[in-house]
Amino acid sequence: MRDKVIPMAGIGISQRFESDEEKLVQSPSDFDKLNHSMGTQGVAMKQLPRADSGKDAWLFLAGCFCIEALVWGFPLSYGIFKDYYANHEPFAAAKPGTAIVGTMSTGLIYLGAPLNFALLQAFPQIRRISSVVGLIITVVALVASSFATEVWHLILTQGMLYAVGTSLLYTPVILYLDEWFVRRKGFAFGVMWAGTGTGGLVVPFLMNWGLQVYGHRTMLRGWAIVLLVSCAPLLYYVKPRLPISSDPASRKIKLGFLRNPTFWLLQTGNVFQGLGYFIPAIFLPSFARSLSLSHLSASLTVSLLNASSVVGQIALGALTDRLHVTSVILISTLGSCLAVLLLWGLAHSMPLLCVFALAYGLFAGGFCATWTGVIREVQRREPKSEMGMMLGCLAAGRGIGNVLCGPISEALVRQGAWAGTKGVVGAYGTAYGGLIVFTGVAVLMGGFGYSARWMPETVRVEKSNWTRRIGDIT
């Protein structure tokens, strides 16, 4: 499709732009019709780059991929840090608390999403500033964590402050992607989220090497420099496609989807999946070490998991463009559950552990790529629903599960329900047996969203006083 001239507009309506372009922009006289239809009379016209294709779109997507890899590769490699902290001073004495650092960093990124989306929706002019400020906070968090002497210092810096910074850096990227990709949105999100797996493939080896050679203080400061030098130039290419709308209506926070039961069925499954998803990435290195495997082997398990999630995210993202989202959720759920209970549960050697990491990354790692299908399904029932806020709420749901899984998983490992029990085979007979069962059940419950397939399209929650307030916003 050639470059077209269309008026200023806001986020969340890029699909309407595309359809209006197709219908209205046929001749110079049609500009007035398009201008009037979009409610932007008197606003200057601007030549815009193509959506879904063209050099600018692909450069934007490449920048998204790289930022995703850099931002998420570090917290998803936390299992390497956890194993290091548990065996080195000054954190070895506080061994049980170290898992919370990892779940706090990833969980708060997700939990902060609704607030960030709402803020950037209401004030679109600060989106690019948000990315710059977020990058600065992230770098400060990493440097500050290198001076930590207690676990609670790590929770505040490597956990909470890192999450705040990366959330501010990362949220505008998702909002811009909605403008750049319309018909190929599922594919684009899959490619962007595949950056997570790519970062998770490379970063664990890098962290393992750096921690063993230089220690955590030098490694954290070095990663801060890498993040600053790498991300700063990428922000030039990760930019909005559409000018900011002068119409106040485009900045309204639309929460009507919260009245739709379909959203809540899909969200419930999303929370359960988040409760179990992050556990293998955090505990695989320490589990591998309990089998007397080397540090390199421990790093390899996390890297294989993250690498296969690249394939999973792209594949499941593409499937959501072709199949009903509940079918894709079912595929992810069954594959993840079987991988945990059969492969990890029976693992007693490195080969089977590697097979588990590959299978789990493939099926569980791509679950978040179903979010575009969830959004599309809810928008079909609630046409005025906005992608940004829905994505923020889905991320928050995953974050709830992520934050809760930290203390729960540590308690299960400490309890070691079946450790040393006669007749219990594989990993079930270790201190990790209860944790493996919990993970398998949690990811299986992620399939709860499949029940949304049979929800009648006309069902909607009646407006109470609370939902009337939501209506006032929407």
Side-chain angles (χ1 to χ4, degrees):
M1 185 173 68
R2 64 184 177 83
D3 287 356
K4 295 188 176 84
V5 182
I6 63 175
M8 290 185 178
I11 188 68
I13 53 175
S14 56
Q15 193 158 5
R16 189 176 68 169
F17 277 174
E18 296 299 316
S19 61
D20 281 344
E21 286 181 281
E22 303 273 343
K23 295 175 183 177
L24 297 177
V25 185
Q26 305 295 332
S27 66
S29 62
D30 287 331
F31 289 141
D32 291 334
K33 297 178 186 177
L34 180 56
N35 196 41
H36 177 73
S37 72
M38 303 303 290
T40 54
Q41 271 187 315
V43 178
M45 310 299 286
K46 184 177 181 180
Q47 187 79 18
L48 299 177
R50 287 178 292 174
D52 293 297
S53 62
K55 182 188 74 173
D56 291 325
W58 296 122
L59 284 173
F60 169 83
L61 190 57
C64 291
F65 176 90
C66 294
I67 288 177
E68 183 86 11
L70 291 165
V71 165
W72 284 99
F74 179 74
L76 292 183
S77 302
Y78 181 73
I80 306 298
F81 274 92
K82 180 184 177 300
D83 185 50
Y84 179 87
Y85 289 151
N87 295 285
H88 292 80
E89 294 299 338
F91 309 112
K95 186 175 179 179
T98 52
I100 298 174
V101 180
T103 57
M104 189 66 70
S105 63
T106 51
L108 289 185
I109 295 174
Y110 287 123
L111 281 173
L115 177 62
N116 285 334
F117 277 113
L119 181 66
L120 297 179
Q121 175 66 24
F123 304 100
Q125 66 274 16
I126 69 170
R127 288 173 188 165
R128 301 208 78 177
I129 298 172
S130 172
S131 292
V132 174
V133 172
L135 178 58
I136 294 171
I137 293 175
T138 303
V139 171
V140 170
L142 289 169
V143 173
S145 65
S146 72
F147 292 98
T149 56
E150 302 284 347
V151 171
W152 68 267
H153 297 165
L154 293 175
I155 293 173
L156 288 177
T157 54
Q158 191 173 348
M160 297 175 68
L161 190 59
Y162 182 89
V164 171
T166 52
S167 186
L168 291 172
L169 166 63
Y170 177 69
T171 303
V173 175
I174 299 175
L175 292 171
Y176 297 153
L177 192 141
D178 187 47
E179 300 177 8
W180 281 98
F181 290 87
V182 180
R183 287 179 294 274
R184 306 177 73 178
K185 200 181 297 293
F187 168 77
F189 270 100
V191 170
M192 183 183 76
W193 284 329
T196 301
T198 303
L201 169 64
V202 177
V203 176
F205 287 111
L206 182 62
M207 293 300 165
N208 180 65
W209 168 78
L211 288 172
Q212 299 304 318
V213 175
Y214 298 107
H216 70 284
R217 300 190 190 282
T218 301
M219 200 60 209
L220 287 167
R221 294 164 192 168
W223 188 249
I225 295 171
V226 169
L227 205 63
L228 179 63
V229 173
S230 301
C231 283
L234 293 173
L235 294 181
Y236 174 79
Y237 297 101
V238 178
K239 57 190 176 184
R241 171 177 170 258
L242 306 173
I244 297 173
S245 173
S246 59
D247 182 7
S250 69
R251 304 184 186 185
K252 277 190 175 182
I253 302 170
K254 299 177 176 63
L255 300 176
F257 63 90
L258 294 177
R259 298 196 298 265
N260 194 296
T262 298
F263 171 79
W264 288 109
L265 289 174
L266 294 164
Q267 174 73 311
T268 301
N270 181 53
V271 173
F272 278 120
Q273 206 271 348
L275 191 60
Y277 170 67
F278 295 93
I279 290 175
I282 294 173
F283 285 93
L284 269 180
S286 56
F287 176 76
R289 297 285 294 146
S290 73
L291 299 179
S292 300
L293 299 175
S294 66
H295 288 289
L296 183 61
S297 297
S299 301
L300 180 62
T301 60
V302 178
S303 292
L304 288 176
L305 189 156
N306 290 325
S308 62
S309 72
V310 175
V311 179
Q313 285 161 342
I314 294 176
L316 294 185
L319 280 178
T320 59
D321 290 334
R322 294 169 173 79
L323 302 178
H324 194 278
V325 66
T326 56
S327 297
V328 185
I329 287 173
L330 185 63
I331 292 170
S332 174
T333 296
L334 293 179
S336 305
C337 181
L338 291 173
V340 171
L341 297 180
L342 295 181
L343 298 176
W344 192 12
L346 299 177
H348 55 79
S349 62
M350 186 62 183
L352 194 54
L353 206 55
C354 289
V355 173
F356 161 69
L358 290 169
Y360 187 78
L362 180 65
F363 289 103
F367 188 88
C368 62
T370 66
W371 289 354
T372 56
V374 170
I375 292 168
R376 187 161 48 244
E377 180 65 18
V378 175
Q379 284 179 331
R380 191 167 62 84
R381 299 161 187 260
E382 292 282 344
K384 292 184 179 180
S385 298
E386 189 175 82
M387 188 216 76
M389 282 309 302
M390 264 196 290
L391 195 60
C393 288
L394 289 169
R398 191 179 180 92
I400 291 170
N402 189 191
V403 170
L404 290 176
C405 84
I408 292 173
S409 60
E410 288 215 325
L412 288 170
V413 173
R414 280 201 307 272
Q415 186 182 22
W418 303 311
T421 303
K422 197 171 183 179
V424 180
V425 299
Y428 290 116
T430 70
Y432 297 86
L435 182 69
I436 292 169
V437 172
F438 175 81
T439 305
V441 172
V443 295
L444 179 63
M445 291 298 292
F448 185 83
Y450 188 76
S451 60
R453 193 180 190 97
W454 296 288
M455 178 61 65
E457 294 194 21
T458 55
V459 174
R460 199 168 189 242
V461 176
E462 291 296 324
K463 283 191 177 183
S464 60
N465 289 335
W466 180 74
T467 54
R468 284 193 185 95
R469 293 192 191 101
I470 292 177
D472 292 339
I473 298 175
T474 59

